[in-house]
PDB file of all heavy atoms in Angstrom:
ATOM      1  N   GLU H 229     -13.155  -2.949   9.769  1.00  0.00           N
ATOM      2  CA  GLU H 229     -14.229  -3.686   9.100  1.00  0.00           C
ATOM      3  C   GLU H 229     -14.892  -4.648  10.075  1.00  0.00           C
ATOM      4  O   GLU H 229     -16.115  -4.785  10.087  1.00  0.00           O
ATOM      5  CB  GLU H 229     -13.660  -4.485   7.917  1.00  0.00           C
ATOM      6  CG  GLU H 229     -13.595  -3.697   6.640  1.00  0.00           C
ATOM      7  CD  GLU H 229     -12.960  -4.512   5.527  1.00  0.00           C
ATOM      8  OE1 GLU H 229     -11.923  -5.160   5.787  1.00  0.00           O
ATOM      9  OE2 GLU H 229     -13.497  -4.506   4.432  1.00  0.00           O
ATOM     10  N   LEU H 232     -17.150  -2.763  12.372  1.00  0.00           N
ATOM     11  CA  LEU H 232     -18.379  -2.367  11.683  1.00  0.00           C
ATOM     12  C   LEU H 232     -19.292  -3.575  11.493  1.00  0.00           C
ATOM     13  O   LEU H 232     -20.509  -3.491  11.677  1.00  0.00           O
ATOM     14  CB  LEU H 232     -18.035  -1.730  10.332  1.00  0.00           C
ATOM     15  CG  LEU H 232     -19.210  -1.162   9.537  1.00  0.00           C
ATOM     16  CD1 LEU H 232     -20.020  -0.184  10.372  1.00  0.00           C
ATOM     17  CD2 LEU H 232     -18.719  -0.476   8.269  1.00  0.00           C
ATOM     18  N   ASN H 233     -18.682  -4.723  11.178  1.00  0.00           N
ATOM     19  CA  ASN H 233     -19.459  -5.946  11.004  1.00  0.00           C
ATOM     20  C   ASN H 233     -20.180  -6.338  12.287  1.00  0.00           C
ATOM     21  O   ASN H 233     -21.317  -6.803  12.255  1.00  0.00           O
ATOM     22  CB  ASN H 233     -18.544  -7.085  10.558  1.00  0.00           C
ATOM     23  CG  ASN H 233     -18.850  -7.506   9.141  1.00  0.00           C
ATOM     24  OD1 ASN H 233     -20.005  -7.645   8.769  1.00  0.00           O
ATOM     25  ND2 ASN H 233     -17.816  -7.688   8.346  1.00  0.00           N
ATOM     26  N   LEU H 236     -23.108  -4.053  12.664  1.00  0.00           N
ATOM     27  CA  LEU H 236     -24.175  -4.434  11.737  1.00  0.00           C
ATOM     28  C   LEU H 236     -24.872  -5.709  12.210  1.00  0.00           C
ATOM     29  O   LEU H 236     -26.093  -5.834  12.127  1.00  0.00           O
ATOM     30  CB  LEU H 236     -23.619  -4.628  10.318  1.00  0.00           C
ATOM     31  CG  LEU H 236     -22.985  -3.397   9.659  1.00  0.00           C
ATOM     32  CD1 LEU H 236     -22.505  -3.722   8.255  1.00  0.00           C
ATOM     33  CD2 LEU H 236     -23.952  -2.230   9.622  1.00  0.00           C
ATOM     34  N   ILE H 280     -25.003  -1.499   3.269  1.00  0.00           N
ATOM     35  CA  ILE H 280     -23.589  -1.464   3.669  1.00  0.00           C
ATOM     36  C   ILE H 280     -23.070  -2.880   3.843  1.00  0.00           C
ATOM     37  O   ILE H 280     -21.925  -3.178   3.493  1.00  0.00           O
ATOM     38  CB  ILE H 280     -23.370  -0.595   4.930  1.00  0.00           C
ATOM     39  CG1 ILE H 280     -21.888  -0.495   5.269  1.00  0.00           C
ATOM     40  CG2 ILE H 280     -24.151  -1.089   6.130  1.00  0.00           C
ATOM     41  CD1 ILE H 280     -21.058   0.210   4.221  1.00  0.00           C
ATOM     42  N   GLY H 281     -23.929  -3.779   4.347  1.00  0.00           N
ATOM     43  CA  GLY H 281     -23.506  -5.168   4.489  1.00  0.00           C
ATOM     44  C   GLY H 281     -23.082  -5.763   3.150  1.00  0.00           C
ATOM     45  O   GLY H 281     -22.111  -6.516   3.060  1.00  0.00           O
ATOM     46  N   ALA H 282     -23.793  -5.383   2.101  1.00  0.00           N
ATOM     47  CA  ALA H 282     -23.495  -5.921   0.771  1.00  0.00           C
ATOM     48  C   ALA H 282     -22.254  -5.275   0.167  1.00  0.00           C
ATOM     49  O   ALA H 282     -21.485  -5.914  -0.544  1.00  0.00           O
ATOM     50  CB  ALA H 282     -24.687  -5.693  -0.148  1.00  0.00           C
ATOM     51  N   LEU H 283     -22.058  -3.997   0.453  1.00  0.00           N
ATOM     52  CA  LEU H 283     -20.992  -3.257  -0.239  1.00  0.00           C
ATOM     53  C   LEU H 283     -19.676  -3.213   0.533  1.00  0.00           C
ATOM     54  O   LEU H 283     -18.641  -2.835  -0.014  1.00  0.00           O
ATOM     55  CB  LEU H 283     -21.465  -1.828  -0.538  1.00  0.00           C
ATOM     56  CG  LEU H 283     -22.649  -1.730  -1.503  1.00  0.00           C
ATOM     57  CD1 LEU H 283     -23.117  -0.297  -1.647  1.00  0.00           C
ATOM     58  CD2 LEU H 283     -22.273  -2.303  -2.873  1.00  0.00           C
ATOM     59  N   LEU H 284     -19.712  -3.601   1.801  1.00  0.00           N
ATOM     60  CA  LEU H 284     -18.518  -3.491   2.647  1.00  0.00           C
ATOM     61  C   LEU H 284     -17.275  -4.151   2.043  1.00  0.00           C
ATOM     62  O   LEU H 284     -16.226  -3.500   1.942  1.00  0.00           O
ATOM     63  CB  LEU H 284     -18.838  -4.061   4.035  1.00  0.00           C
ATOM     64  CG  LEU H 284     -17.863  -3.735   5.153  1.00  0.00           C
ATOM     65  CD1 LEU H 284     -17.695  -2.242   5.316  1.00  0.00           C
ATOM     66  CD2 LEU H 284     -18.345  -4.347   6.465  1.00  0.00           C
ATOM     67  N   PRO H 285     -17.341  -5.416   1.619  1.00  0.00           N
ATOM     68  CA  PRO H 285     -16.124  -6.014   1.055  1.00  0.00           C
ATOM     69  C   PRO H 285     -15.653  -5.279  -0.202  1.00  0.00           C
ATOM     70  O   PRO H 285     -14.452  -5.064  -0.374  1.00  0.00           O
ATOM     71  CB  PRO H 285     -16.545  -7.444   0.719  1.00  0.00           C
ATOM     72  CG  PRO H 285     -17.802  -7.700   1.478  1.00  0.00           C
ATOM     73  CD  PRO H 285     -18.469  -6.374   1.648  1.00  0.00           C
ATOM     74  N   ALA H 286     -16.610  -4.883  -1.055  1.00  0.00           N
ATOM     75  CA  ALA H 286     -16.230  -4.211  -2.301  1.00  0.00           C
ATOM     76  C   ALA H 286     -15.499  -2.898  -2.018  1.00  0.00           C
ATOM     77  O   ALA H 286     -14.526  -2.559  -2.702  1.00  0.00           O
ATOM     78  CB  ALA H 286     -17.467  -3.944  -3.147  1.00  0.00           C
ATOM     79  N   ILE H 287     -15.926  -2.186  -0.996  1.00  0.00           N
ATOM     80  CA  ILE H 287     -15.281  -0.909  -0.659  1.00  0.00           C
ATOM     81  C   ILE H 287     -13.817  -1.149  -0.300  1.00  0.00           C
ATOM     82  O   ILE H 287     -12.923  -0.432  -0.756  1.00  0.00           O
ATOM     83  CB  ILE H 287     -16.021  -0.221   0.508  1.00  0.00           C
ATOM     84  CG1 ILE H 287     -17.445   0.151   0.094  1.00  0.00           C
ATOM     85  CG2 ILE H 287     -15.268   1.018   0.972  1.00  0.00           C
ATOM     86  CD1 ILE H 287     -18.328   0.592   1.252  1.00  0.00           C
ATOM     87  N   GLY H 288     -13.584  -2.176   0.513  1.00  0.00           N
ATOM     88  CA  GLY H 288     -12.217  -2.483   0.930  1.00  0.00           C
ATOM     89  C   GLY H 288     -11.342  -2.919  -0.244  1.00  0.00           C
ATOM     90  O   GLY H 288     -10.217  -2.444  -0.406  1.00  0.00           O
ATOM     91  N   ARG H 587     -16.692   4.321   3.237  1.00  0.00           N
ATOM     92  CA  ARG H 587     -17.336   3.372   4.128  1.00  0.00           C
ATOM     93  C   ARG H 587     -18.308   4.097   5.060  1.00  0.00           C
ATOM     94  O   ARG H 587     -19.436   3.650   5.280  1.00  0.00           O
ATOM     95  CB  ARG H 587     -16.274   2.622   4.937  1.00  0.00           C
ATOM     96  CG  ARG H 587     -16.813   1.406   5.611  1.00  0.00           C
ATOM     97  CD  ARG H 587     -15.773   0.762   6.463  1.00  0.00           C
ATOM     98  NE  ARG H 587     -14.753   0.091   5.673  1.00  0.00           N
ATOM     99  CZ  ARG H 587     -13.490  -0.051   6.067  1.00  0.00           C
ATOM    100  NH1 ARG H 587     -13.088   0.467   7.204  1.00  0.00           N
ATOM    101  NH2 ARG H 587     -12.630  -0.685   5.315  1.00  0.00           N
TER     102      ARG H 587
END
Side-chain angles (χ1 to χ4, degrees):
E229 273 177 315
L232 185 54
N233 248 316
L236 298 181
I280 184 64
L283 296 175
L284 195 57
I287 296 169
R587 195 184 287 150

